[in-house]
Amino acid sequence: MLNEDVKKILISQEEITDRCKQLAKQISDDYSGKVPVIIGLLKGSIPFMAELIKYLSIECELEFMAVSSYSGTESMGDVRILKDLDRSIKDCDVIIVEDIVDTGKTLQKVKELLYSKGANSVKVVSLLDKPSRRIIDISAEYIGFEIPDEFVIGFGLDFNQKYRNLPYVGVLKEELYKE
Ligand code: 5GP
């Protein structure tokens, strides 16, 4: 059973839904009269993006990109674009949806790329923030929850591609990834 691999639940499904409603209200107010292009970073942002957009009261367009930097539980440092956008975002107001901001390398790279493509503005909404691990001085404009330096899984976040379908954010049992 998937649940048996979880040491503890950090953020419940209900808490995530409540926070998504608040963030969506804030984003709808900030982007009133605009039609932002919301770009989900595959695959981790999918459950969060799906929940968040349900509560937006503004028009928006959805796009996806895939970048990679992680293998197992540690960052590889190098960020690669695995799937680029297949449309122009010139002069668009872009909102990146991310699962977690950790070292900040992914966001820095993606923001740079989107500005180089001519975006008018680029902001970030992230379900989680782990500020204690930051290497690059960057932060998301909209943050769901700040968490301590623990490896988390669920609600989009994986360990070796598994656990993304858990409906909450939890901490994985250490014996499952530490030798
Ligand atoms: P950054 O470039 O900010 O170091 O890393 C961002 C990416 O690292 C996230 O999109 C996520 O895929 C991965 N990541 C960072 N911390 C965690 C974590 O605690 N759990 C999981 N599952 N992935 C993480």
Side-chain angles (χ1 to χ4, degrees):
M1 284 277 286
L2 214 51
N3 284 337
E4 288 163 7
D5 293 350
V6 178
K7 187 166 93 177
K8 65 175 174 202
I9 295 177
L10 215 55
I11 309 164
S12 71
Q13 193 170 358
E14 199 185 6
E15 286 173 304
I16 295 172
T17 300
D18 287 348
R19 189 72 186 115
C20 282
K21 287 179 184 171
Q22 293 169 350
L23 289 172
K25 163 91 174 67
Q26 218 181 323
I27 293 169
S28 301
D29 289 347
D30 293 352
Y31 286 82
S32 166
K34 295 179 179 164
V35 183
V37 178
I38 303 187
I39 302 181
L41 299 189
L42 298 169
K43 305 163 191 162
S45 70
I46 293 293
F48 175 47
M49 185 170 179
E51 187 66 17
L52 183 72
I53 60 172
K54 286 197 277 187
Y55 307 111
L56 288 175
S57 57
I58 49 164
E59 288 183 353
C60 64
E61 296 171 10
L62 305 184
E63 297 294 337
F64 296 95
M65 282 178 68
V67 297
S68 87
S69 70
Y70 257 64
S71 166
T73 61
E74 281 302 317
S75 172
M76 301 293 280
D78 201 28
V79 179
R80 287 183 302 139
I81 307 295
L82 303 179
K83 181 202 174 296
D84 207 340
L85 292 173
D86 40 29
R87 58 165 278 186
S88 167
I89 50 154
K90 195 165 175 339
D91 301 327
C92 292
D93 293 305
V94 171
I95 304 175
I96 302 170
V97 186
E98 178 61 304
D99 50 3
I100 184 166
V101 186
D102 188 29
T103 65
K105 287 179 183 172
T106 306
L107 269 194
Q108 186 196 37
K109 172 98 182 199
V110 175
K111 270 187 122 169
E112 260 174 34
L113 181 77
L114 298 179
Y115 273 121
S116 77
K117 288 173 182 284
N120 179 53
S121 68
V122 181
K123 286 191 182 181
V124 180
V125 54
S126 182
L127 174 64
L128 305 173
D129 187 21
K130 234 194 243 180
S132 56
R133 296 241 318 155
R134 203 73 97 251
I135 290 172
I136 313 274
D137 184 19
I138 196 167
S139 57
E141 283 76 10
Y142 307 97
I143 293 165
F145 303 89
E146 196 176 298
I147 60 162
D149 184 12
E150 283 186 290
F151 186 77
V152 291
I153 42 138
F155 217 82
L157 291 126
D158 74 309
F159 172 61
N160 289 342
Q161 298 303 327
K162 309 267 171 22
Y163 306 105
R164 293 191 197 276
N165 57 319
L166 286 173
Y168 51 78
V169 174
V171 178
L172 194 60
K173 284 185 180 159
E174 274 157 29
E175 62 261 35
L176 292 168
Y177 64 90
K178 288 208 170 127
E179 282 151 26

